[in-house]
Amino acid sequence: MSQRSSRRKSSHLSLATPPTESAPAHPADALPENLVRLLFQQAADLVEQNDPIQAELWCSDVLGAVWAATDGDPAAEETFVDAWIAAAEGPATERRAAMAALTVLGTMAGSSTMRRAASSAAERLGEPRPGLGLDDLSAGECWHYGDVFGDQETILCAFRRGSTEHAMLVLIDHTLGGIAKDVFFTQAVADSLADLQYELAATPVAFLEPIEPAVARRRLQRAFALTDARVEPRVNDEFAPHRALALARIRQLPPSIETGTLGGIVSPDALVAEFLDAPQAAELPDRDLAERWARLLIDRALVHADTPARVGPGVLDELLLVDVPDHALLDAPAKNAMPAVLTAWIRWAGHRQGLSAAAVTWLETALEEILDEFPDAYREPGAVAHRNTCPDTVDLRTSRRAQLHPWPQRTPISPTVLRATSGAGKVGRARPK
């Protein structure tokens, strides 16, 4: 992709405070003194730089550290912001640095209540506001890049401040339920769009089209809300430090009212029956195994909040390299049935989605590549241990009756348990990017 905006010094925050016998008597006491000194020293440096995007990236980095350290708990961010505001108003804090921090926080904090609190604190200080140039921001055009399968999409939004321009690019991953998975900012707006156009020319199953800013806002708000609703969402490294700035930019886009209507809901049983009765599945030799694999595909989509019967390389990648190795017991017949059943599924679901013949052929080639990697993924020691101990493992072995209950619903459990037992680190390739 295009060159990112110039690098800034990371705040390198440590949000772990020593345990105390009782709650701090004053909100500012909740922050360690060394962290307070670091924050306001960096705020003073921002005044010297007089670079609005660097000021916003700094504040976003701080709030992102809170988000990552507390599993995205909004109450934790509110507590942190309250303590930060109280420290800014403290007698030991240099007023110019305090005004800089409060000014940026007044535009970047997650809730309108926190933003108002920061702005009110700045007014109480009664000092001249630093010339950080945060005002005069306007939204420009937005673009939508994605694949025809619906696996992933990237939304690019351009913004202008004075004579300078920058862009925000957000990756939305529908194989993981439509979460916002990555976000970054760049001042090379034209180069970013040119990169997407280059990828479009090199990828026959991709599209690039302009999108109304109001529609972009609606899609982005939904994607970030889905990310925040997950326990330890599978996001990329740049997501947390850029999350707050992304949300601030989304608020700059014009609002939109959803006018679409939800499509009819099709039951999993009806989808399985439709697949088995389709001409694409007519020559499958083992109808029972075909049904088990079909239910596995549908249940995986439901648990990931994806569209049932949607097919794409990312879906196949996640299924065969992450979900099945971690959650399915297979014997030789079940494994041998995979290529034929999944090929039939691709042809049936592709026709159902209205994919072109070229796109379906492209998918079949992707399936062959993923199947080549499947044996190693299935033998991976962590996957073996997980599926042999997980109480919700699905048994597709022909020697036993298949467990046809839905794929295990993932409830908010201890992050420590999730880190120790889940396959969250196995991020699929999700072609095309």
Side-chain angles (χ1 to χ4, degrees), residues 118-135:
S119 298
S120 297
E123 293 177 1
R124 289 194 296 271
L125 289 180
E127 299 285 334
R129 289 186 179 269
L132 294 177
L134 298 178
D135 300 328

Side-chain angles (χ1 to χ4, degrees), residues 77-403:
E77 180 181 340
E78 184 173 351
T79 299
F80 181 86
V81 170
D82 285 344
W84 196 359
I85 292 173
E89 294 187 279
T93 303
E94 196 267 327
R95 284 296 178 255
R96 187 179 63 162
M99 285 297 295
L102 291 172
T103 299
V104 183
L105 194 58
T107 65
M108 298 290 297
S111 72
S112 58
T113 300
M114 288 187 284
R115 294 193 294 273
R116 286 195 299 269
S119 298
S120 297
E123 293 177 1
R124 289 194 296 271
L125 289 180
E127 299 285 334
R129 289 186 179 269
L132 294 177
L134 298 178
D135 300 328
D136 193 27
L137 179 71
S138 60
E141 61 184 13
C142 298
W143 290 82
H144 179 217
Y145 172 82
D147 61 78
V148 297
F149 311 107
D151 279 345
Q152 292 184 335
E153 60 181 318
T154 295
I155 293 180
L156 181 153
C157 298
F159 298 89
R160 177 169 292 278
R161 179 183 277 135
S163 61
T164 63
E165 193 177 26
H166 62 273
M168 172 182 73
L169 289 90
V170 179
L171 173 65
I172 301 174
D173 195 328
H174 294 285
T175 69
L176 300 178
I179 67 170
K181 185 176 182 178
D182 197 10
V183 56
F184 74 89
F185 290 82
T186 178
Q187 294 172 326
V189 180
D191 289 345
S192 295
L193 189 56
D195 284 348
L196 293 179
Q197 292 169 334
Y198 177 82
E199 291 187 21
L200 176 67
T203 309
V205 290
F207 64 85
L208 176 66
E209 60 189 12
I211 183 175
E212 289 295 326
V215 177
R217 173 173 177 159
R218 186 169 67 240
R219 292 187 181 184
L220 291 169
Q221 283 179 324
R222 180 179 185 274
F224 276 86
L226 288 170
T227 302
D228 288 345
R230 297 292 181 91
V231 175
E232 293 199 335
R234 289 169 53 182
V235 294
N236 293 348
D237 292 341
E238 294 289 335
F239 181 84
H242 290 158
R243 172 182 171 274
L245 179 53
L247 291 173
R249 287 295 181 270
I250 293 170
R251 291 193 292 270
Q252 292 294 321
L253 297 173
S256 174
I257 299 176
E258 178 66 75
T259 58
T261 57
L262 293 176
I265 299 175
V266 181
S267 73
D269 288 342
L271 285 174
V272 170
E274 182 182 334
F275 167 64
L276 294 175
D277 291 340
Q280 294 87 348
E283 297 183 4
L284 293 176
D286 192 325
R287 305 282 289 181
D288 181 57
L289 273 176
E291 179 180 353
R292 298 182 194 185
W293 277 108
R295 288 189 180 276
L296 204 59
L297 282 153
I298 293 169
D299 292 339
R300 184 214 168 269
L302 291 174
V303 83
H304 286 287
D306 199 355
T307 303
R310 186 185 70 80
V311 68
V315 171
L316 299 172
D317 198 285
E318 289 287 322
L319 175 80
L320 295 177
L321 301 184
V322 179
D323 292 322
V324 168
D326 280 356
H327 290 104
L329 296 173
L330 307 178
D331 56 10
K335 293 177 184 177
N336 293 336
M338 278 196 305
V341 173
L342 293 177
T343 299
W345 180 271
I346 285 172
R347 293 170 179 172
W348 167 76
H351 176 74
R352 205 172 187 274
Q353 286 174 229
L355 298 179
S356 66
V360 172
T361 301
W362 198 89
L363 260 183
E364 292 176 2
T365 301
L367 173 63
E368 292 176 2
E369 296 177 8
I370 297 169
L371 286 173
D372 286 342
E373 299 180 30
F374 174 76
D376 289 339
Y378 198 74
R379 288 193 299 263
E380 197 272 324
V384 173
H386 186 76
R387 67 174 176 265
N388 286 332
T389 57
C390 178
D392 293 317
T393 291
V394 179
D395 195 342
L396 268 69
R397 294 173 294 185
T398 54
S399 59
R400 299 171 182 241
R401 181 174 180 82
Q403 299 176 15

